Every structure is written in C-alpha cells, then in structure tokens.
Amino acid sequence: MPKGYWIVHVTVKNPEEYAEYVRLDTPVVESFGGRFLVRGGQTETPETPQKDRHVIIEFPDFATARACYHSEAYQAAAKIRMAHSDSDIVIIEGQP
C-alpha cells in the first residue's frame, strides 16, 4: 500500500507563537504514525518564489495522512499555525 504524505510550505509570521503549534502538532502527527522527513533546513527555489520553510511528513498510507489532518487534536493545533503563518498543505498519496 502506498504511503501518504503531507507536503507543507510555510512562512512564519510570529515565531514565538508558532513554536506552540510545533509543540502541539508533533505528538499528534506521531500518534498517527507520521514521520518528519523534512522539517526546515536549507532550501533553494531556483524557479519561483516560495514560502520560507518546507516540511514533508510520511504516514503509513493516504487514509492515515487524511485522518491526522482532520483529527480534532490536529485541527486545534492548526488554528495556531493559521494565525501565525502563511501556509499551504497538500495531502498526497505516494507511489506504490
């Protein structure tokens, strides 16, 4: 069964408050079997402007990736992310 992924692009507007999102989202993601493959780090965007921070999270499958995002616990954390950043999240199924 193919893995599921979140691909996240973020520009943090308020780092102090955003840290609370990171503190809350990590255990939720991990409780769904999520594993951070990329979380920040050096980037290069040679073709188009992008957000400042990029995250890739791997889940056991697409359904689990969706369930994590739509969970009550993650949605509580997401409110903090949305208030203190400009972000995009794509939930995508990997290759078989």
Side-chain angles (χ1 to χ4, degrees), residues 17-89:
E17 297 295 329
Y18 188 83
E20 178 67 4
Y21 163 72
V22 173
R23 186 185 74 74
L24 292 174
D25 91 315
T26 301
V28 175
V29 166
E30 291 173 350
S31 76
F32 280 86
R35 185 169 69 103
F36 289 88
L37 301 178
V38 174
R39 196 170 202 179
Q42 281 190 28
T43 63
E44 179 181 350
T45 54
E47 295 195 13
T48 60
Q50 296 289 324
K51 297 197 168 47
D52 298 333
R53 180 177 169 85
H54 308 281
V55 179
I56 300 173
I57 306 169
E58 180 183 75
F59 290 89
D61 53 52
F62 182 73
T64 303
R66 288 188 75 246
C68 180
Y69 180 82
H70 294 289
S71 71
E72 190 174 311
Y74 181 74
Q75 286 303 306
K79 288 178 184 175
I80 297 168
R81 175 181 48 80
M82 291 176 196
H84 301 290
S85 72
D86 179 19
S87 56
D88 302 308
I89 295 181

